[in-house]
Amino acid sequence: MPHVTEKLHQDHEKVEKMFKKLLQTKDDDASTRQKLCQQIATELRAHMEFEEKVFYPALRQAGDGAGEKVRHSVHEHNEAKQLLDQLISCDPKSEEFLDIAGQLQEAVEHHVREEEDSIFDLAQEKLEDGDAEQMAMRHDTMAREYKQQHAAR
Ligand SMILES: [Fe+2]
Ligand SMILES: [Fe+2]
């Protein structure tokens, strides 16, 4: 099993690609926008849930300002969640749609950059290999469960 940060990095890349597709859609392609929006929402929510419930708590005690980094990250998650809610409730045919999508994409990109630059280093340094691999497995299980639950709605 790879290190948990590899799993998280893969999620980051996946969402980045979805955003690229979304930002290229036209105002008359509401169904593609809706579909991509739902995919992005599911990916982001599953990812943030894992980080908030499993990954961040494991790092909180690691020293080197970890507590502050985690608090800052959770704050950025909350900002992203608000933008995501705005995007979901926005009419996909409206002029604001791509504007909100762009704001969310930027917020996520900024967060991902910070996370990969500071939190991932900390995780690679402080987590025991066994724990990091176990967390990677937990990541996959939680993501699968989240997606099953939300497909069933
Ligand atoms: Fe992340
Ligand atoms: Fe995050």
Side-chain angles (χ1 to χ4, degrees), residues 48-65:
M48 289 192 281
E49 182 174 276
F50 171 79
E51 287 184 341
E52 288 171 22
K53 289 195 174 152
V54 180
F55 182 60
Y56 293 165
L59 291 175
R60 209 168 264 145
Q61 322 291 347
D64 293 345

Side-chain angles (χ1 to χ4, degrees), residues 47 51 56 77 111 115:
H47 182 86
E51 287 184 341
Y56 293 165
H77 279 195
H111 173 70
E115 194 162 71

Side-chain angles (χ1 to χ4, degrees), residues 14 17 21-23 28 30 33 37 43-44 48-49 52 55 92-93 96 99 117 120 122 124 128 131:
K14 192 172 174 186
K17 282 189 193 131
K21 275 192 203 160
L22 181 66
L23 291 169
D28 61 0
R33 283 186 175 176
C37 248
E43 278 304 316
L44 281 181
M48 289 192 281
E49 182 174 276
E52 288 171 22
F55 182 60
K93 293 192 269 324
E96 307 105 270
D99 184 45
D117 285 351
F120 280 17
L122 200 69
Q124 279 152 11
E128 301 285 344
D131 291 344

Side-chain angles (χ1 to χ4, degrees), residues 18-32:
M18 289 176 177
F19 272 121
K20 269 196 191 127
K21 275 192 203 160
L22 181 66
L23 291 169
Q24 282 165 5
T25 56
K26 303 277 179 269
D27 289 351
D28 61 0
D29 198 355
S31 69
T32 305

